[in-house]
Amino acid sequence: MKNELLILAPLPDFLMNPLLAANTCHDYFHAEDKAALLAQVGAKIRGIVMAGGSVVPVALLEQLPKLEIMSVFGVGYDGVPVDWCKAHQVRVTNTPDVLTEDVADTASALVLMTSRKLIAANRFLHEGTWLKGAFPLAHALHGKLAGIVGLGRIGKAIARRLEAHGMRVAYHGRTKQEVGWEYFESLTAMAQAVDFLVVACPGGAATKHLINAEVLAALGAKGTLINIARGSVVDEAALIVALQGGTIRGAGLDVFENEPQVPEALMQCGNAVLLPHLGSGTHETRAAMARLVVENLAAHFSGAALLTPVC
Ligand code: 8YV
């Protein structure tokens, strides 16, 4: 008998097809009457599949008495109530490691795009403005200091790339690590010292609005904010004010507080480079992530050890 799964996010065919081959999938994300779907299938659901950014309320989980496992198609599981899952013996898996290099590439690209004004330069040429004169000078990376907020696997991969650009690296996190980079216990002190503040920490309640007006003021007019982590880590309203008033030099963002909604005021900021959450968005990485989702579920339902368990 096939296992019943609830699908909480729009998923690509290369993930849906293998899921459908081994399971019966119920599309909660696209269901017009979600309550009716839950009333119909809630009692049978043994697994959930969701994306990195999806949020699952406990009230939903409470309607799934047979739930055993939640498989996240992403490394970030900030939308999963992990304590509730532990208390109810619900296993959780995510897709770490396979996306590290792509997300770090995206952060490094945002550093380059903001410092060298590459997006504006591309527009400048396409619009024929080069014929009227040279593109304005930009800022060099070598010798500049980057401060990584959250030196996990992705933070370290970003640090390695920025060093290849001749940059110096510092980091802030809950604990000092056995690495050669300078540690700042105070985020504000690090913001004050750096030219680029690069957010690479997990989302969730513990880091909500960690980058607030005070941190942005400390970063100052010499500084650029880069965020490839979660929109929730940055107080977006405060960031818009800081970009509009020149409190900081610029921002390079792949994530937003209310995706895919991006405030009009942020879209109007000429000193911001904005990407549609594409950090892990390559064929190779998304295929590897999909494989982990499928294999974790298969392992669980066959009684084998999970490949990449969160709990
Ligand atoms: C994905 C992500 O965009 O891994 C994460 O936490 O946010 C991204 O890699 C997302 O999970 C894909 O659905």
Side-chain angles (χ1 to χ4, degrees), residues 10-11 50-53 72-78 95 99 103 229-230 255 277-281 286 289:
L11 300 176
M50 56 190 280
V72 182
F73 180 51
V75 68
Y77 51 88
D78 43 301
T95 64
L99 46 63
V103 177
R230 279 287 180 268
V255 288
H277 198 154
L278 51 68
S280 67
R286 288 284 166 86
M289 291 163 65

Side-chain angles (χ1 to χ4, degrees), residues 181-214:
W181 300 305
E182 185 184 356
Y183 175 64
F184 279 85
E185 200 178 333
S186 155
L187 173 58
T188 313
M190 186 170 84
Q192 218 149 27
V194 300
D195 303 288
F196 289 86
L197 193 61
V198 185
V199 181
C201 61
T207 57
K208 187 169 164 64
H209 289 187
L210 190 64
I211 309 298
N212 56 19
E214 185 197 329

Side-chain angles (χ1 to χ4, degrees), residues 6-240:
L6 201 61
I7 309 297
L8 294 196
L11 300 176
D13 289 347
F14 56 82
L15 173 52
M16 273 318 291
N17 290 338
L19 286 179
L20 282 165
N23 309 275
T24 303
C25 298
H26 303 281
D27 187 350
Y28 182 79
F29 182 84
H30 290 108
E32 269 178 33
D33 191 341
K34 294 186 184 343
L37 176 66
L38 282 185
Q40 200 191 332
V41 303
K44 304 189 284 190
I45 297 296
R46 295 179 66 196
I48 280 180
V49 181
M50 56 190 280
S54 346
V55 176
V56 201
V58 166
L60 167 59
L61 300 180
E62 281 169 344
Q63 295 176 66
L64 310 175
K66 292 221 172 78
L67 184 66
E68 297 167 28
I69 182 163
M70 297 174 65
S71 190
V72 182
F73 180 51
V75 68
Y77 51 88
D78 43 301
V80 178
V82 174
D83 289 341
W84 186 95
C85 291
K86 283 181 185 160
H88 292 80
Q89 284 86 47
V90 171
R91 308 296 309 272
V92 179
T93 66
N94 66 343
T95 64
D97 299 320
V98 292
L99 46 63
T100 299
E101 306 302 327
D102 276 357
V103 177
D105 283 346
T106 305
S108 154
L110 282 168
V111 169
L112 272 165
M113 288 191 283
T114 50
S115 59
R116 300 299 302 270
K117 303 196 186 308
L118 298 178
I119 302 294
N122 178 60
R123 202 177 316 118
F124 180 88
L125 191 146
H126 277 275
E127 289 172 355
T129 320
W130 196 10
L131 299 168
K132 300 179 202 150
F135 185 69
L137 299 181
H139 288 278
L141 288 185
H142 58 91
K144 298 286 164 57
L145 181 61
I148 316 272
V149 181
L151 195 71
R153 286 171 283 219
I154 294 175
K156 288 184 177 115
I158 295 170
R160 288 195 296 272
R161 280 160 175 75
L162 299 187
E163 280 192 326
H165 290 297
M167 297 179 76
R168 294 170 297 123
V169 171
Y171 69 102
H172 164 79
R174 276 170 306 180
T175 48
K176 189 173 181 325
Q177 303 186 36
E178 293 299 314
V179 291
W181 300 305
E182 185 184 356
Y183 175 64
F184 279 85
E185 200 178 333
S186 155
L187 173 58
T188 313
M190 186 170 84
Q192 218 149 27
V194 300
D195 303 288
F196 289 86
L197 193 61
V198 185
V199 181
C201 61
T207 57
K208 187 169 164 64
H209 289 187
L210 190 64
I211 309 298
N212 56 19
E214 185 197 329
V215 173
L216 293 168
L219 182 58
K222 48 81 177 126
T224 299
L225 178 75
I226 305 292
N227 187 6
I228 49 77
R230 279 287 180 268
S232 60
V233 183
V234 176
D235 179 343
E236 212 164 66
L239 174 63
I240 292 169

